[in-house]
Amino acid sequence: MTTRNRIYLIGFSGAGKSAVGRSTARLLGWRFEDADERIVERAGKPVERVFAEDGEPAFRELERATIAEFAREEHVVVSTGAGSVMHDQSLGGMLSSGLVVALEARPETVYRRLSHIAELDGAEAMTRPMLQSDDPLGRIESLKRERQWAYAHAHWTVHTDDLSIEQAALEVVRAWRRLGAPSAWEDDPDFAATVRLEQGAYPVFVGWDSLEDQLGRRLAQMGLSGRAFIVCDSNVVHPYGRAAQRSLHAAGIEMGLFTFPAGEASKNLATATVLYEWLAERRAERRDAIVAVGGGVVGDLAGYVAATFLRGIRVVQVPTSLTAMVDSSIGGKTGVDLPVAKNMVGAFHHPAMVLTDVSALRTLPERALREGWAEAVKHGLALEAGLVDLYEEHADALQSLDPELTTRAVAWNAAVKARMVSADEREMSGLRQLLNYGHTIGHGLEAAAGYDAYLHGEAVAIGMTGAARLGMLEGVTPPELVERQASLIARFGLPSAYMGVEPEAILEAMSRDKKTTAGQISWVLLDGVGSSRTHRGIAPERVASVVRELGA
Amino acid sequence: MTTRNRIYLIGFSGAGKSAVGRSTARLLGWRFEDADERIVERAGKPVERVFAEDGEPAFRELERATIAEFAREEHVVVSTGAGSVMHDQSLGGMLSSGLVVALEARPETVYRRLSHIAELDGAEAMTRPMLQSDDPLGRIESLKRERQWAYAHAHWTVHTDDLSIEQAALEVVRAWRRLGAPSAWEDDPDFAATVRLEQGAYPVFVGWDSLEDQLGRRLAQMGLSGRAFIVCDSNVVHPYGRAAQRSLHAAGIEMGLFTFPAGEASKNLATATVLYEWLAERRAERRDAIVAVGGGVVGDLAGYVAATFLRGIRVVQVPTSLTAMVDSSIGGKTGVDLPVAKNMVGAFHHPAMVLTDVSALRTLPERALREGWAEAVKHGLALEAGLVDLYEEHADALQSLDPELTTRAVAWNAAVKARMVSADEREMSGLRQLLNYGHTIGHGLEAAAGYDAYLHGEAVAIGMTGAARLGMLEGVTPPELVERQASLIARFGLPSAYMGVEPEAILEAMSRDKKTTAGQISWVLLDGVGSSRTHRGIAPERVASVVRELGA
């Protein structure tokens, strides 16, 4: 559907088209228009006189022309006459130029509402034909029955019987955000993915050498009316924090820059507190935005502060590490560590935009680059066979950061992540959990080793190796896939065994993970290339033996 | 609608009833049932043979009896045959015993999906009749057209054309949460209100001497499978923290108790950090819950920690101050203060339940009790005329805590607050903003006076006095209403003027409020008893003169 900033409400008399339309327009800050009023304006006489003097075809032509007129206007909610939908050309015009929402109401509801309107002065003419029948409910039913087929053509339907006007309008706005909101960005050359959420959609752009060139311009396009507060760490402030500043400056956006010492040790409530106070001193408002420029630590911390400052301000993610580009910048997970465990404090807070400049990988330390490929390999193995082919064919070019291939790989990974997040925004359905392939043992290993010995991606690579063996023992993962995964992990220089950690400590940490429920661990296992499922109830002894064997 | 734990999916062939039904059942942890399969089971022969050998009426009777059977089962998602809805008794049986959701798909979508199914082995018989026509799309259109009227009877409709199976299932779950989820609690003698949200609904219970008697039992009813962590402050631990403990103990719920020093000074990130670490040490899991027993500070702090620990665990609010009972415990606003301003860090996190024991007001200090009436008076003036009558008639009995009248007043206030929150969950539509009557000047006064001189309710009472004068100057608030408000404020012993604060400091703090956008203040003004609207663009000089006059 390629709709723009137009919503048409269709439905039977008494379904609430005018009241809900006005309320919807108010919620969106748009204009409200009544199609019949516009027709009267064009005709210079009341609808009844058009019918009587010029005939129905003349009225239908007027109606078609009026809809065509709305189709050229922007930011408008149009309430249509109850009969508009019976005319193919009018309905077609609406369906092709905006989001068409049918308001539905049961005949009893229609009858009750129309009786109520009839009691008001001056509304008699409108409701008389239906209510003055001997059997008004029967008359409503039969008229509505005729039109029901046309209402079914709508893009969305809202049943208004048990909703207030306000609630019905919120449902229309929600439908627009989910189905109709224009994604002009999908034509952009750097467009990689759209994340679709309850509250709206956001774009992921992936380009090469794009940060300084695009950041300011895209923030302006996003409708930023306030200031931008850049957050970065001491590793990326030169050159990327500065590049972001120059880009915002060129776009005329007022800004501030906050830098903290690089490293996971900074990702805590103390750093968050300093950032909160820095924002408060600058009197940051809800219309301002945080721009997180950096790797996972910056994204998580700045995202968490954005989630909680003033109960939530916008954040734009500008990932500069591979892990952040393919994974953590997309999906809204934000948080900080407690001394006892990572990411114990956090919130879901989706960015307003993700802007990835893949060329930033050129300055990433080699080990950090390598760990980033672990999450990319994971996306391929668990969810997207095509990615596995790409990695196998171009492992060397990708690791040496060939601009075209690396940009393609990052954009593809972003699309996989965006798809999973859109399907399961808050990890409710279990679908998003598939992204945790390799993470069960991985998290346990990180926690047991003290977060210093292994980078996250390294732990995930070891975790994938363990999960594949477990999958094989469970009869789920084919042995040849276990081999294929092992070669891929090796080709990207990632570890497949741990050293210097007690297996019992890993098992103990796994039992403490926040995803563990009542001691039950949910495992993501491969059943094919790019195909995975969750499994529960795997025997703890089997898990323990796999974890022990993973020790080098 | 009084539906229970049953969802019926209706719709045309190819709308996705089986696939979406299975996915919905998985999301809810319910069983999935196919009505046609059950019919075959009952009949002991295939549907076609029932038709051929016993005739259509026999089939319809089987269908009706099968639906009646489902109506006695719990936690079941039923996918119905495409024709079930054409039989009034079957449709009626579904509508009266569960949530009926119509899955909608355009004829082109139906054709595409059925062609795809036809390519699969063994599915030919099912799709042959429609696809083997000369004009399959036309055949689909005309068959669907006949049934459209029946589909319109559903409680909700989901258009599946542009959704994945998973997304469509999430829409069905959402409809169930909004419309169908049973609110058994509405029959409870202490039931005061239901707050209805995107993610589900929660109850507010208001009783007298109910804490120890009910807390544990209600937590068990709520389905708490984990532990309960009681959070309270040094003022309320005796007797209410202990009463909560005894109640949980009696219900066999494992628990912990965390106490911090009473007072606004504790509502900060430092206390939150201690609480996070306390929870982490106890290995709190996502299935555990926090029980906030206390006034606004406890509710805000414990609610904020619940919002952010493990990215969100459940919280149950047990308010013990009047302000918390009538206002802050309902609506999901949580947060902590920064040194520079109150509530600068926060999150929306709705409780799973609010349990109010009005008798706790007997131990509330007199000044705290008095300030609580300010928010209650505000609800009446801005939103509910009946409350104003109640206060005027029974001001003395209410202030001396007559059990019956005070419980009634608190329950009524909770219902007003719940209504506003349900209509505007995240303060997006401006409706919920009406709850801020008196708060614009009130917040400014609190900030300027340093949060020590005035309690929140006192500042709101002074703020309402200022807002009423401003409303009168703007020609919005009738002078007699200004008088009536003044008497009510005086009868409840609340202040109407401030002392010892510079008006300029108040004005300056108002400009810094988080609700200020681009320097524009949005004012809530009364236009009648229980009736208010927001106004923008009021002349700053007029505001300044009102604020100056409010000085005693």
Short mmCIF file of all heavy atoms in Angstrom, two decimals, chain B residues 270-316:
data_model
loop_
_atom_site.label_atom_id
_atom_site.label_comp_id
_atom_site.label_asym_id
_atom_site.label_seq_id
_atom_site.Cartn_x
_atom_site.Cartn_y
_atom_site.Cartn_z
N ALA B 270 20.05 7.14 43.79
CA ALA B 270 20.86 6.41 44.77
C ALA B 270 20.02 5.33 45.45
O ALA B 270 20.44 4.18 45.57
CB ALA B 270 21.43 7.39 45.79
N THR B 271 18.81 5.70 45.90
CA THR B 271 17.93 4.70 46.52
C THR B 271 17.56 3.62 45.51
O THR B 271 17.53 2.42 45.83
CB THR B 271 16.65 5.36 47.08
OG1 THR B 271 17.01 6.50 47.85
CG2 THR B 271 15.86 4.39 47.95
N ALA B 272 17.27 4.05 44.27
CA ALA B 272 16.93 3.08 43.23
C ALA B 272 18.06 2.08 43.05
O ALA B 272 17.84 0.87 42.93
CB ALA B 272 16.63 3.80 41.91
N THR B 273 19.29 2.58 43.07
CA THR B 273 20.44 1.71 42.87
C THR B 273 20.55 0.67 43.98
O THR B 273 20.80 -0.52 43.73
CB THR B 273 21.73 2.55 42.79
OG1 THR B 273 21.57 3.48 41.72
CG2 THR B 273 22.95 1.70 42.52
N VAL B 274 20.32 1.10 45.22
CA VAL B 274 20.36 0.15 46.34
C VAL B 274 19.28 -0.92 46.16
O VAL B 274 19.51 -2.12 46.38
CB VAL B 274 20.18 0.89 47.69
CG1 VAL B 274 20.15 -0.12 48.84
CG2 VAL B 274 21.28 1.91 47.89
N LEU B 275 18.10 -0.48 45.71
CA LEU B 275 17.00 -1.43 45.52
C LEU B 275 17.30 -2.40 44.37
O LEU B 275 17.07 -3.61 44.48
CB LEU B 275 15.70 -0.66 45.29
CG LEU B 275 14.41 -1.46 45.05
CD1 LEU B 275 14.21 -2.58 46.06
CD2 LEU B 275 13.19 -0.53 45.08
N TYR B 276 17.86 -1.88 43.26
CA TYR B 276 18.25 -2.77 42.15
C TYR B 276 19.20 -3.85 42.65
O TYR B 276 19.08 -5.03 42.32
CB TYR B 276 19.02 -2.00 41.06
CG TYR B 276 18.22 -1.05 40.19
CD1 TYR B 276 18.67 0.26 39.96
CD2 TYR B 276 17.05 -1.46 39.55
CE1 TYR B 276 17.98 1.13 39.14
CE2 TYR B 276 16.35 -0.58 38.72
CZ TYR B 276 16.82 0.72 38.52
OH TYR B 276 16.15 1.58 37.70
N GLU B 277 20.19 -3.42 43.43
CA GLU B 277 21.19 -4.40 43.87
C GLU B 277 20.61 -5.40 44.86
O GLU B 277 20.96 -6.58 44.83
CB GLU B 277 22.43 -3.66 44.42
CG GLU B 277 23.16 -3.02 43.25
CD GLU B 277 24.33 -2.12 43.64
OE1 GLU B 277 24.56 -1.92 44.84
OE2 GLU B 277 25.00 -1.61 42.71
N TRP B 278 19.68 -4.92 45.67
CA TRP B 278 18.98 -5.80 46.61
C TRP B 278 18.21 -6.87 45.84
O TRP B 278 18.25 -8.05 46.16
CB TRP B 278 18.06 -4.94 47.48
CG TRP B 278 17.32 -5.66 48.56
CD1 TRP B 278 17.76 -5.96 49.81
CD2 TRP B 278 15.96 -6.13 48.48
NE1 TRP B 278 16.77 -6.59 50.53
CE2 TRP B 278 15.65 -6.71 49.74
CE3 TRP B 278 14.98 -6.12 47.50
CZ2 TRP B 278 14.41 -7.26 50.03
CZ3 TRP B 278 13.74 -6.67 47.78
CH2 TRP B 278 13.47 -7.24 49.04
N LEU B 279 17.52 -6.45 44.78
CA LEU B 279 16.76 -7.40 43.95
C LEU B 279 17.70 -8.38 43.23
O LEU B 279 17.42 -9.58 43.15
CB LEU B 279 15.91 -6.65 42.91
CG LEU B 279 14.73 -5.85 43.45
CD1 LEU B 279 14.17 -4.92 42.36
CD2 LEU B 279 13.61 -6.79 43.94
N ALA B 280 18.81 -7.83 42.71
CA ALA B 280 19.75 -8.68 41.97
C ALA B 280 20.36 -9.73 42.89
O ALA B 280 20.51 -10.89 42.51
CB ALA B 280 20.84 -7.83 41.32
N GLU B 281 20.67 -9.33 44.11
CA GLU B 281 21.22 -10.29 45.08
C GLU B 281 20.24 -11.42 45.36
O GLU B 281 20.64 -12.56 45.58
CB GLU B 281 21.51 -9.59 46.42
CG GLU B 281 22.85 -8.91 46.48
CD GLU B 281 22.89 -7.92 47.63
OE1 GLU B 281 22.14 -8.11 48.63
OE2 GLU B 281 23.65 -6.93 47.53
N ARG B 282 18.96 -11.06 45.37
CA ARG B 282 17.93 -12.08 45.61
C ARG B 282 17.53 -12.81 44.34
O ARG B 282 16.59 -13.60 44.33
CB ARG B 282 16.71 -11.41 46.26
CG ARG B 282 16.88 -11.33 47.77
CD ARG B 282 16.21 -10.16 48.39
NE ARG B 282 16.73 -10.00 49.73
CZ ARG B 282 17.89 -9.40 50.04
NH1 ARG B 282 18.64 -8.89 49.05
NH2 ARG B 282 18.32 -9.32 51.27
N ARG B 283 18.24 -12.49 43.25
CA ARG B 283 17.95 -13.12 41.95
C ARG B 283 16.49 -13.00 41.56
O ARG B 283 15.85 -13.98 41.16
CB ARG B 283 18.33 -14.60 41.98
CG ARG B 283 19.80 -14.77 42.23
CD ARG B 283 20.17 -16.19 41.96
NE ARG B 283 21.57 -16.40 42.28
CZ ARG B 283 22.17 -17.58 42.18
NH1 ARG B 283 21.48 -18.63 41.79
NH2 ARG B 283 23.44 -17.70 42.47
N ALA B 284 15.94 -11.81 41.71
CA ALA B 284 14.56 -11.58 41.29
C ALA B 284 14.44 -11.91 39.81
O ALA B 284 15.33 -11.61 39.02
CB ALA B 284 14.18 -10.12 41.55
N GLU B 285 13.34 -12.57 39.44
CA GLU B 285 13.09 -12.97 38.05
C GLU B 285 11.91 -12.19 37.49
O GLU B 285 11.19 -11.52 38.21
CB GLU B 285 12.75 -14.47 37.99
CG GLU B 285 13.86 -15.40 38.37
CD GLU B 285 13.42 -16.86 38.21
OE1 GLU B 285 12.32 -17.12 37.67
OE2 GLU B 285 14.19 -17.75 38.65
N ARG B 286 11.71 -12.37 36.17
CA ARG B 286 10.62 -11.64 35.53
C ARG B 286 9.24 -12.05 36.05
O ARG B 286 8.29 -11.30 35.94
CB ARG B 286 10.67 -11.84 34.01
CG ARG B 286 11.80 -11.05 33.40
CD ARG B 286 11.58 -10.74 31.94
NE ARG B 286 12.67 -9.89 31.48
CZ ARG B 286 13.36 -10.09 30.36
NH1 ARG B 286 13.05 -11.08 29.58
NH2 ARG B 286 14.33 -9.27 30.02
N ARG B 287 9.11 -13.26 36.58
CA ARG B 287 7.79 -13.68 37.06
C ARG B 287 7.53 -13.22 38.49
O ARG B 287 6.45 -13.43 39.02
CB ARG B 287 7.64 -15.19 36.93
CG ARG B 287 8.51 -15.94 37.89
CD ARG B 287 8.76 -17.36 37.46
NE ARG B 287 9.63 -17.99 38.44
CZ ARG B 287 9.22 -18.90 39.33
NH1 ARG B 287 7.97 -19.28 39.34
NH2 ARG B 287 10.06 -19.40 40.19
N ASP B 288 8.52 -12.60 39.13
CA ASP B 288 8.32 -12.05 40.47
C ASP B 288 7.62 -10.69 40.36
O ASP B 288 7.47 -10.14 39.28
CB ASP B 288 9.67 -11.89 41.18
CG ASP B 288 10.40 -13.23 41.36
OD1 ASP B 288 9.71 -14.27 41.37
OD2 ASP B 288 11.63 -13.22 41.45
N ALA B 289 7.19 -10.17 41.49
CA ALA B 289 6.51 -8.87 41.47
C ALA B 289 6.99 -8.01 42.63
O ALA B 289 7.38 -8.52 43.68
CB ALA B 289 5.00 -9.06 41.56
N ILE B 290 6.97 -6.70 42.39
CA ILE B 290 7.23 -5.76 43.47
C ILE B 290 5.88 -5.30 44.02
O ILE B 290 4.94 -5.08 43.26
CB ILE B 290 8.06 -4.57 42.94
CG1 ILE B 290 9.51 -5.03 42.69
CG2 ILE B 290 8.00 -3.38 43.89
CD1 ILE B 290 10.42 -3.95 42.15
N VAL B 291 5.77 -5.21 45.35
CA VAL B 291 4.56 -4.71 45.97
C VAL B 291 4.92 -3.41 46.67
O VAL B 291 5.68 -3.41 47.64
CB VAL B 291 3.99 -5.74 46.98
CG1 VAL B 291 2.75 -5.19 47.65
CG2 VAL B 291 3.69 -7.07 46.29
N ALA B 292 4.43 -2.29 46.14
CA ALA B 292 4.77 -0.98 46.69
C ALA B 292 3.75 -0.59 47.73
O ALA B 292 2.59 -0.32 47.40
CB ALA B 292 4.81 0.05 45.56
N VAL B 293 4.15 -0.59 48.98
CA VAL B 293 3.23 -0.26 50.08
C VAL B 293 3.63 1.11 50.63
O VAL B 293 4.68 1.24 51.27
CB VAL B 293 3.31 -1.32 51.20
CG1 VAL B 293 2.35 -0.96 52.34
CG2 VAL B 293 3.00 -2.71 50.67
N GLY B 294 2.83 2.13 50.38
CA GLY B 294 3.18 3.45 50.91
C GLY B 294 2.54 4.58 50.14
O GLY B 294 1.58 4.38 49.38
N GLY B 295 3.08 5.76 50.32
CA GLY B 295 2.55 6.96 49.67
C GLY B 295 3.17 7.14 48.30
O GLY B 295 3.73 6.21 47.70
N GLY B 296 3.11 8.38 47.81
CA GLY B 296 3.57 8.67 46.46
C GLY B 296 5.05 8.37 46.24
O GLY B 296 5.43 7.87 45.17
N VAL B 297 5.88 8.66 47.25
CA VAL B 297 7.31 8.42 47.08
C VAL B 297 7.59 6.94 46.87
O VAL B 297 8.32 6.55 45.96
CB VAL B 297 8.11 8.98 48.28
CG1 VAL B 297 9.55 8.50 48.24
CG2 VAL B 297 8.03 10.50 48.31
N VAL B 298 6.97 6.09 47.70
CA VAL B 298 7.17 4.65 47.57
C VAL B 298 6.66 4.16 46.22
O VAL B 298 7.34 3.41 45.50
CB VAL B 298 6.46 3.89 48.72
CG1 VAL B 298 6.51 2.39 48.48
CG2 VAL B 298 7.10 4.24 50.05
N GLY B 299 5.46 4.61 45.84
CA GLY B 299 4.88 4.17 44.58
C GLY B 299 5.70 4.57 43.38
O GLY B 299 5.93 3.78 42.46
N ASP B 300 6.17 5.82 43.38
CA ASP B 300 6.97 6.32 42.25
C ASP B 300 8.30 5.58 42.15
O ASP B 300 8.72 5.17 41.08
CB ASP B 300 7.27 7.81 42.42
CG ASP B 300 6.07 8.68 42.08
OD1 ASP B 300 5.00 8.13 41.78
OD2 ASP B 300 6.23 9.92 42.11
N LEU B 301 8.97 5.45 43.28
CA LEU B 301 10.30 4.83 43.30
C LEU B 301 10.21 3.33 42.99
O LEU B 301 10.90 2.82 42.12
CB LEU B 301 10.97 5.06 44.66
CG LEU B 301 12.30 4.35 44.84
CD1 LEU B 301 13.41 5.09 44.11
CD2 LEU B 301 12.65 4.21 46.32
N ALA B 302 9.34 2.64 43.72
CA ALA B 302 9.22 1.19 43.51
C ALA B 302 8.69 0.91 42.11
O ALA B 302 9.11 -0.04 41.45
CB ALA B 302 8.30 0.58 44.56
N GLY B 303 7.78 1.75 41.63
CA GLY B 303 7.25 1.59 40.28
C GLY B 303 8.34 1.78 39.23
O GLY B 303 8.42 1.05 38.24
N TYR B 304 9.21 2.76 39.46
CA TYR B 304 10.29 3.03 38.51
C TYR B 304 11.29 1.87 38.49
O TYR B 304 11.74 1.44 37.42
CB TYR B 304 11.00 4.34 38.84
CG TYR B 304 12.10 4.64 37.87
CD1 TYR B 304 11.81 4.92 36.54
CD2 TYR B 304 13.44 4.62 38.26
CE1 TYR B 304 12.82 5.17 35.61
CE2 TYR B 304 14.46 4.87 37.34
CZ TYR B 304 14.14 5.14 36.03
OH TYR B 304 15.13 5.37 35.12
N VAL B 305 11.61 1.37 39.65
CA VAL B 305 12.53 0.23 39.71
C VAL B 305 11.88 -0.99 39.03
O VAL B 305 12.54 -1.70 38.25
CB VAL B 305 12.94 -0.07 41.16
CG1 VAL B 305 13.61 -1.43 41.29
CG2 VAL B 305 13.87 1.04 41.67
N ALA B 306 10.59 -1.19 39.24
CA ALA B 306 9.90 -2.30 38.56
C ALA B 306 9.90 -2.10 37.05
O ALA B 306 10.03 -3.05 36.28
CB ALA B 306 8.47 -2.44 39.09
N ALA B 307 9.78 -0.85 36.61
CA ALA B 307 9.75 -0.55 35.17
C ALA B 307 11.08 -0.89 34.51
O ALA B 307 11.11 -1.25 33.33
CB ALA B 307 9.43 0.93 34.95
N THR B 308 12.17 -0.80 35.23
CA THR B 308 13.49 -0.86 34.62
C THR B 308 14.30 -2.09 35.04
O THR B 308 15.27 -2.41 34.35
CB THR B 308 14.29 0.42 34.96
OG1 THR B 308 14.18 0.66 36.37
CG2 THR B 308 13.73 1.61 34.21
N PHE B 309 13.94 -2.75 36.11
CA PHE B 309 14.69 -3.94 36.51
C PHE B 309 14.35 -5.07 35.52
O PHE B 309 13.17 -5.37 35.29
CB PHE B 309 14.34 -4.34 37.95
CG PHE B 309 15.22 -5.45 38.46
CD1 PHE B 309 16.54 -5.19 38.81
CD2 PHE B 309 14.74 -6.74 38.58
CE1 PHE B 309 17.36 -6.22 39.27
CE2 PHE B 309 15.55 -7.77 39.04
CZ PHE B 309 16.87 -7.50 39.38
N LEU B 310 15.36 -5.67 34.91
CA LEU B 310 15.15 -6.70 33.88
C LEU B 310 14.24 -6.20 32.77
O LEU B 310 13.47 -6.96 32.20
CB LEU B 310 14.57 -7.98 34.50
CG LEU B 310 15.37 -8.63 35.63
CD1 LEU B 310 14.64 -9.88 36.13
CD2 LEU B 310 16.77 -9.00 35.17
N ARG B 311 14.33 -4.93 32.47
CA ARG B 311 13.47 -4.25 31.48
C ARG B 311 11.99 -4.35 31.82
O ARG B 311 11.14 -4.29 30.94
CB ARG B 311 13.70 -4.81 30.07
CG ARG B 311 14.75 -4.05 29.31
CD ARG B 311 14.86 -4.51 27.87
NE ARG B 311 16.23 -4.84 27.59
CZ ARG B 311 16.68 -6.07 27.41
NH1 ARG B 311 15.86 -7.09 27.39
NH2 ARG B 311 17.96 -6.26 27.20
N GLY B 312 11.69 -4.50 33.11
CA GLY B 312 10.29 -4.46 33.51
C GLY B 312 9.77 -5.71 34.18
O GLY B 312 9.69 -6.75 33.55
N ILE B 313 9.44 -5.61 35.47
CA ILE B 313 8.73 -6.70 36.14
C ILE B 313 7.43 -6.10 36.70
O ILE B 313 7.27 -4.88 36.73
CB ILE B 313 9.57 -7.38 37.26
CG1 ILE B 313 9.86 -6.40 38.41
CG2 ILE B 313 10.87 -7.93 36.69
CD1 ILE B 313 10.59 -7.07 39.58
N ARG B 314 6.52 -6.96 37.14
CA ARG B 314 5.22 -6.46 37.58
C ARG B 314 5.31 -5.68 38.90
O ARG B 314 6.15 -5.98 39.74
CB ARG B 314 4.23 -7.61 37.76
CG ARG B 314 3.69 -8.10 36.43
CD ARG B 314 2.80 -9.29 36.64
NE ARG B 314 3.54 -10.41 37.20
CZ ARG B 314 3.00 -11.60 37.44
NH1 ARG B 314 1.73 -11.82 37.20
NH2 ARG B 314 3.75 -12.58 37.94
N VAL B 315 4.42 -4.72 39.03
CA VAL B 315 4.33 -4.01 40.31
C VAL B 315 2.86 -3.96 40.73
O VAL B 315 1.97 -3.83 39.89
CB VAL B 315 4.93 -2.59 40.22
CG1 VAL B 315 4.17 -1.70 39.24
CG2 VAL B 315 4.97 -1.92 41.59
N VAL B 316 2.62 -4.13 42.02
CA VAL B 316 1.29 -3.98 42.59
C VAL B 316 1.35 -2.77 43.51
O VAL B 316 2.26 -2.66 44.34
CB VAL B 316 0.87 -5.24 43.37
CG1 VAL B 316 -0.37 -4.99 44.21
CG2 VAL B 316 0.65 -6.39 42.40
#
